[in-house]
Amino acid sequence: MRLVRQLSLAAPNAIYALPRLCLAILAAVVCLVQPALLSAARADAYKLGIMDKLSVRVVEWQTAEGQFREWPGITGEYIVGPNGDLALPFAGELKVTGRSTSEVAHEIARALQERFGLANPPEASVEILEFRPIFVAGEVHTPGKYPYDPEMTVLKAISLAGGMRRGLHEGQRFERDFINARGSYEVLVAERARLMAKKARLASEAAGKEKIAVPQDLAAIAQSQTLIEDEIAIMETNRNAFDLRLKGLDELQTLYSNEITSLSKKVDNQTRQVDLYKRELEKTAKLVDQGLAVSSRALGLETTLAETQSNLLDLDAASLRAKQEMNKAALDTIDLKNERKSKIALDMQETKSQLDENALQLQMYRQLMAEALVNAPMASQLTGGDADRLISYSIVRTVASKIQEIPATETTPVQPGDLVKVSVTNEKS
């Protein structure tokens, strides 16, 4: 009888602990995978170089504890050194230049597995926090080092450096004003296109749509398809992460519901047994009073009845805890949906504010270009051959360990670590 009681008590507790373990494993996997999904498309194509700032994270599954454990001694931010190596505790110095983040993450996991003699390699992830900077030199207002942007061009780099340096020749001042204003204007135009694509994505997410409705103003822009594809990737990543968390909460509620059903059946069974023991005890007590049965039999029935009633109370308590946890999971589901709606609304508000600010800046640079054209009508023709005669550009880049100087134009893409040189080749009198 005592063995039966122990088994009946252990069953609800085991069922009660199982959903917690499932949820813990699910949450840990989501935390590890989600950041990698957000940057995987760009990071795999990008090759690391000196001065890139990286975020390294290492976790390991602990079977005994039933959860992931982070390695704080290795997890952190690192900068690729001047020799192209990444120095990590325990893993040592790893050559990372010319390799992708996924390749470096695999190498870190392999090195740690060998270093500690692990049966399986730990989970490692590498993300790019900051690209290595670019440098602008020559006839610009503020030569120096500047952060790299994935859509960087020579003209945008010159705008970051304050535009063309003034004072070279008074006759070129208004032409240079026009070029500087035009460069800043084009940077803002590209930024506005990205903001419009982001706004379209947020609107689709808020409406629960599977696809992004491309605004007419954005559809007229040449790079609109690329911008929309990037936003689609972000939207799918967000939706997959949300659906995964929502599925986990739904499965948790299902587990608790099944547990409650099982406990309810056990309660009904225990209740029937209590009634049977009570009736049997009444009959036995009468027989004892009549001298037809011994008192030890009645005492045994009383003991069995007490144990059964105790089991019934334990089952009621387990059922109550399961209902509380199921209600909590339901509330977490509501909070998750509200949190997502709130974040989308907040991002939409911020994006609209950025668009408004962008519109004001675009208007300012349009006015500056118009003012420059009033004083120098030929400034608008400083494109193509005229611009090349007035200003020349080149990019100093390291290719296969060799330094090369490459002729460039305003629209030439700039890569991380490039040096953009600007010079006046033929001044007008």
Side-chain angles (χ1 to χ4, degrees):
M1 182 61 69
R2 294 186 181 274
L3 179 61
V4 172
R5 179 186 177 188
Q6 291 174 356
L7 291 175
S8 63
L9 289 176
N13 291 333
I15 298 174
Y16 179 69
L18 178 60
R20 292 183 178 272
L21 176 59
C22 295
L23 186 59
I25 296 174
L26 180 62
V29 172
V30 171
C31 291
L32 181 63
V33 172
Q34 185 176 0
L37 290 176
L38 292 174
S39 60
R42 293 190 182 274
D44 285 343
Y46 178 75
K47 303 303 180 183
L48 299 175
I50 298 171
M51 297 182 69
D52 279 333
K53 187 175 183 181
L54 308 177
S55 172
V56 178
R57 187 181 183 194
V58 179
V59 299
E60 181 184 11
W61 171 249
Q62 297 294 308
T63 304
E65 301 174 5
Q67 62 183 4
F68 283 92
R69 177 174 63 85
E70 190 168 12
W71 292 27
I74 299 177
T75 297
E77 298 178 1
Y78 301 87
I79 297 178
V80 180
N83 58 352
D85 291 346
L86 187 66
L88 294 175
F90 307 112
E93 293 188 357
L94 306 177
K95 181 66 68 175
V96 299
T97 52
R99 306 176 72 179
S100 67
T101 54
S102 59
E103 291 172 340
V104 174
H106 177 75
E107 179 66 17
I108 292 173
R110 185 194 63 78
L112 292 175
Q113 182 185 17
E114 293 182 357
R115 174 68 173 79
F116 295 101
L118 302 176
N120 298 307
E123 297 291 337
S125 66
V126 177
E127 297 179 72
I128 300 173
L129 293 181
E130 294 180 10
F131 294 97
R132 53 189 182 275
I134 63 165
F135 302 85
V136 185
E139 302 298 341
V140 293
H141 188 267
T142 312
K145 179 177 69 175
Y146 294 93
Y148 172 76
D149 179 83
E151 298 182 359
M152 183 72 68
T153 62
V154 168
L155 187 59
K156 293 179 182 179
I158 295 173
S159 298
L160 288 176
M164 295 296 298
R165 181 166 63 87
R166 296 178 179 272
L168 292 176
H169 195 287
E170 185 63 26
Q172 291 181 320
R173 183 170 66 86
F174 294 110
E175 288 90 341
R176 193 172 296 109
D177 288 345
F178 179 83
I179 293 174
N180 292 338
R182 184 180 64 185
S184 299
Y185 180 83
E186 292 186 6
V187 171
L188 290 170
V189 169
E191 179 186 0
R192 184 171 186 81
R194 288 195 298 271
L195 291 172
M196 291 171 63
K198 181 179 179 181
K199 180 182 177 182
R201 187 254 301 171
L202 291 172
S204 298
E205 286 184 333
K209 296 181 179 179
E210 296 292 331
K211 298 183 179 180
I212 297 178
V214 183
Q216 187 175 359
D217 294 342
L218 181 61
I221 299 175
Q223 68 272 26
S224 61
Q225 184 63 31
T226 301
L227 295 174
I228 289 297
E229 289 176 357
D230 290 344
E231 294 298 327
I232 289 175
I234 295 174
M235 184 172 70
E236 290 179 350
T237 300
N238 293 341
R239 182 170 57 244
N240 290 339
F242 173 77
D243 291 344
L244 186 60
R245 294 176 62 188
L246 192 62
K247 181 181 178 181
L249 290 172
D250 289 342
E251 291 178 352
L252 189 60
Q253 292 184 67
T254 301
L255 286 173
Y256 282 126
S257 177
N258 293 339
E259 180 183 358
I260 292 171
T261 302
S262 176
L263 290 172
S264 178
K265 293 179 180 179
K266 291 183 179 181
V267 167
D268 293 341
N269 184 47
Q270 291 289 310
T271 301
R272 286 193 296 271
Q273 289 185 8
V274 167
D275 292 339
L276 290 174
Y277 287 141
K278 285 182 177 179
R279 288 196 294 269
E280 183 66 20
L281 183 60
E282 290 177 358
K283 294 178 181 178
T284 303
K286 291 179 180 179
L287 293 175
V288 170
D289 291 341
Q290 296 173 2
L292 300 177
V294 294
S295 59
S296 59
R297 181 180 178 185
L299 181 60
L301 287 173
E302 289 177 354
T303 302
T304 302
L305 177 60
E307 290 179 350
T308 305
Q309 289 175 329
S310 178
N311 290 342
L312 184 59
L313 292 175
D314 291 338
L315 290 171
D316 287 336
S319 178
L320 179 60
R321 286 194 300 269
K323 290 178 181 178
Q324 290 175 340
E325 291 297 331
M326 188 173 69
N327 291 336
K328 183 178 180 300
L331 291 176
D332 289 342
T333 300
I334 296 174
D335 290 341
L336 177 62
K337 293 179 180 179
N338 291 337
E339 177 185 350
R340 184 167 187 263
K341 291 180 181 179
S342 177
K343 185 178 184 305
I344 292 174
L346 185 62
D347 288 347
M348 177 66 80
Q349 183 180 2
E350 182 180 354
T351 302
K352 288 181 179 178
S353 177
Q354 291 174 344
L355 281 169
D356 292 340
E357 181 180 354
N358 179 275
L360 293 175
Q361 292 178 336
L362 284 173
Q363 182 180 0
M364 177 187 69
Y365 283 111
R366 279 195 294 265
Q367 293 174 350
L368 289 175
M369 286 190 292
E371 181 181 350
L373 288 175
V374 170
N375 294 281
M378 297 300 293
S380 62
Q381 301 177 12
L382 292 178
T383 57
D386 291 337
D388 292 338
R389 287 198 303 270
L390 180 62
I391 302 173
S392 65
Y393 312 100
S394 63
I395 294 177
V396 179
R397 179 179 298 162
T398 301
V399 181
S401 302
K402 295 182 179 180
I403 298 178
Q404 300 180 1
E405 184 166 353
I406 307 168
T409 64
E410 292 179 348
T411 58
T412 300
V414 178
Q415 297 180 8
D418 282 353
L419 168 63
V420 179
K421 292 177 62 177
V422 185
S423 60
V424 175
T425 58
N426 182 22
E427 294 187 359
K428 294 182 180 181
S429 57

